[in-house]
Amino acid sequence: AQFNELVTCLRGGRETGRQLSQKLNLPVSAIQLQRYHDINQGGAIKVILEPPGDLIGKSILIAEDVVDQGDSLKFLDSYFAQRGVTSCKVATLHQKPHTKRSAEFIGAQTSHWVVYPWETAEFIATNLEAWANIGLTRDDSRQILNNLGFVLS
């Protein structure tokens, strides 16, 4: 497939987009959507950061880390069509089997929660705080993280 530009979805697709832009030698821009208020609660999709420049007549590749429900991709299909993009394809590291909109380029299918190496510190910090808020002790939290495969010193 031939693309004029790579658009990375911030925050999750940033690293995927960086890697793909180097491999494919494509200019990269970013878009940021706001959807999830927490892990299990959705909301209306809003564009927080728009890609700069003119996209009319361009063929773009969207870089994502995980395609889950597919609502964000359906939103992006419409968003980019309204801005004159002629072709909009998606590359993702992981896709959930229940998605409503499949990526054209998929690293792997999974139904599991995925934590990438570049997200480890954020994942641990976020969950330690959440677990403390529900009354789990530090030892309880360490045990959960160990059970998930995180080795803490």
Side-chain angles (χ1 to χ4, degrees), residues 61-79:
L61 178 63
I62 298 172
E64 256 296 14
D65 58 352
V66 177
V67 173
D68 194 332
Q69 297 292 323
D71 294 331
S72 296
L73 294 185
K74 290 174 79 174
F75 176 88
L76 288 173
D77 285 338
S78 174
Y79 172 87

Side-chain angles (χ1 to χ4, degrees), residues 33-36 43-47 70-76:
L33 305 178
Q34 183 177 26
R35 159 87 189 214
Y36 295 105
I45 299 172
K46 295 182 279 188
V47 176
D71 294 331
S72 296
L73 294 185
K74 290 174 79 174
F75 176 88
L76 288 173

Side-chain angles (χ1 to χ4, degrees), residues 15-116:
E15 184 62 26
T16 307
R18 187 185 72 76
Q19 294 286 333
L20 279 173
S21 71
Q22 288 179 336
K23 296 288 183 198
L24 300 175
N25 196 28
L26 286 173
V28 63
S29 61
I31 189 167
Q32 187 170 3
L33 305 178
Q34 183 177 26
R35 159 87 189 214
Y36 295 105
H37 305 291
D38 66 37
I39 289 174
N40 296 310
Q41 183 182 33
I45 299 172
K46 295 182 279 188
V47 176
I48 297 174
L49 174 70
E50 296 199 52
D54 184 10
L55 298 174
I56 294 173
K58 289 191 176 181
S59 176
I60 63 170
L61 178 63
I62 298 172
E64 256 296 14
D65 58 352
V66 177
V67 173
D68 194 332
Q69 297 292 323
D71 294 331
S72 296
L73 294 185
K74 290 174 79 174
F75 176 88
L76 288 173
D77 285 338
S78 174
Y79 172 87
F80 285 121
Q82 290 173 12
R83 280 151 187 80
V85 169
T86 57
S87 173
C88 180
K89 307 286 185 200
V90 178
T92 187
L93 294 177
H94 291 94
Q95 180 168 285
K96 302 293 177 97
H98 57 264
T99 189
K100 298 172 197 162
R101 198 303 197 175
S102 290
E104 286 75 16
F105 308 99
I106 304 164
Q109 291 262 357
T110 185
S111 57
H112 299 286
W113 186 261
V114 180
V115 178
Y116 297 104

